[in-house]
Amino acid sequence: MRTNLYDQGYWHYASPNFPKSTDPVLGCTHIAFFVRWCAEQDFLDTSITDRAPKELAALLQRELSSSVFFREVMDEAFSAEDLTEEGRRFADRYYEKHYLSDYTRVMKDVYLISDTEENYQKVKAVIDSRYREGEKAQAASQPRWLSFRKKKQR
């Protein structure tokens, strides 16, 4: 059993807010898109990449949908344990605090979004932007290293 869960499909499609008669798969699309983005960045932990190399390759080659990968390989659960250290740092800062609001702003809904390449690319653009912002902010907060070059003598 995984701990440190970021999100789980069940939390959404079992919620009273989930639209009745909506396919439960649509309750996972937003999570599946983030997981695919992580896979494209090599942020998935070896516990996933070693267990499902064929499925991962199919996901990355767009032969397997994000939602199918999320349901079949990850059992509809996304946790810190599924990510590399760098992936966890980003997910801790972004997924838990900003992702769902960004997703809803771009897609105009959470649960009625199909897992299509076009929809993924819209969400990917936002995640890419947030990741670059985070990298810049982190770089700006790092201490400047002193230069050890000798001063020119006059």
Side-chain angles (χ1 to χ4, degrees), residues 14-31:
S15 164
N17 298 329
F18 191 75
K20 292 182 184 351
S21 73
T22 300
D23 186 347
V25 169
L26 295 178
C28 300
T29 305
H30 66 286
I31 312 166

Side-chain angles (χ1 to χ4, degrees), residues 37 43 86-87 89-95 98 102 125-142:
W37 184 88
F43 286 172
E86 185 174 357
R89 280 195 307 269
F90 179 63
D92 287 348
R93 286 191 323 265
Y94 177 62
Y95 190 87
H98 306 287
D102 281 351
V126 174
I127 301 171
D128 284 342
S129 175
R130 290 293 196 160
Y131 183 74
R132 284 189 304 271
E133 288 172 13
E135 282 186 318
K136 286 179 187 174
Q138 187 175 4
S141 69
Q142 295 297 320

